[in-house]
Amino acid sequence: MNKMTQAALAALVLGACSASAFADDSAKGGDNDRWQGCTELGCSKDIPIKLTVPKKCTISDPKDLVLKTDATNVSSSYSVTTNTHYVLNLSTANANTNPNTFVKNASGGTIDTVIATAKTSGSAGPAAPTWGNNNYAGMSVDNFTVTARTKLPVSATAAAGDYTDTYKIRVYY
């Protein structure tokens, strides 16, 4: 009799536990939520897959521009590689985005210069970018050439010394 009582108690406890489990399921939205995606042929579930590629930009290392005193052109080139659309901002340290650029020495003397930039290959955008902001399609390697010279040959009376400026390349997304 003892084994029969144990079996009856076990059945009673098992029935009570499963009733509470079904009660929890029905409180959460019904028994059907637990079987969502299942049919008489089986069940299925999808797992989304995602990859995030961050925006990236590299600018190659161009060679310095060393101007000549006879006003002949010197040039350098660089490339901008991006994986998104971008804005190329061109300026100089001495003249910012003013097209009337110049080099200057330590005592403040200046010599006018002419600097031009040309896009030689790459994504859609201005072939001759201007000072300031220029929009490019990106997602490629965009190649640029910078040509610079003094506006006029340097006068024999120009103060001796180093005259400098900086051509600034900035890329924004």
Side-chain angles (χ1 to χ4, degrees), residues 2 5 9 24 27 49 59-60 64-65 70 77 86 88-90 94 119 153-154 156 167:
N2 201 6
T5 306
L9 279 173
D24 284 346
I49 299 172
I59 302 172
S60 68
D64 293 350
L65 291 166
D70 64 357
S77 60
Y86 70 95
L88 175 68
N89 179 278
L90 299 177
N94 292 344
K119 182 174 68 73
V154 177
Y167 178 90

Side-chain angles (χ1 to χ4, degrees), residues 75-138:
S75 64
S76 183
S77 60
Y78 63 92
S79 62
V80 175
T81 306
T82 65
N83 63 355
T84 188
H85 305 296
Y86 70 95
V87 175
L88 175 68
N89 179 278
L90 299 177
S91 64
T92 63
N94 292 344
N96 197 6
T97 57
N98 188 330
N100 299 315
T101 63
F102 56 91
V103 290
K104 67 180 178 178
N105 64 12
S107 62
T110 63
I111 297 174
D112 291 337
T113 58
V114 177
I115 302 173
T117 305
K119 182 174 68 73
T120 58
S121 65
S123 68
T130 58
W131 296 109
N133 293 330
N134 300 271
N135 294 315
Y136 287 95

Side-chain angles (χ1 to χ4, degrees), residues 140-154:
S140 70
V141 178
D142 293 345
N143 295 302
F144 297 89
T145 298
V146 182
T147 305
R149 65 177 177 81
T150 58
K151 196 169 193 175
L152 300 169
V154 177

Side-chain angles (χ1 to χ4, degrees), residues 1 38 40 54 67 107 150 152:
M1 184 76 156
C38 294
E40 64 277 355
L67 299 176
S107 62
T150 58
L152 300 169

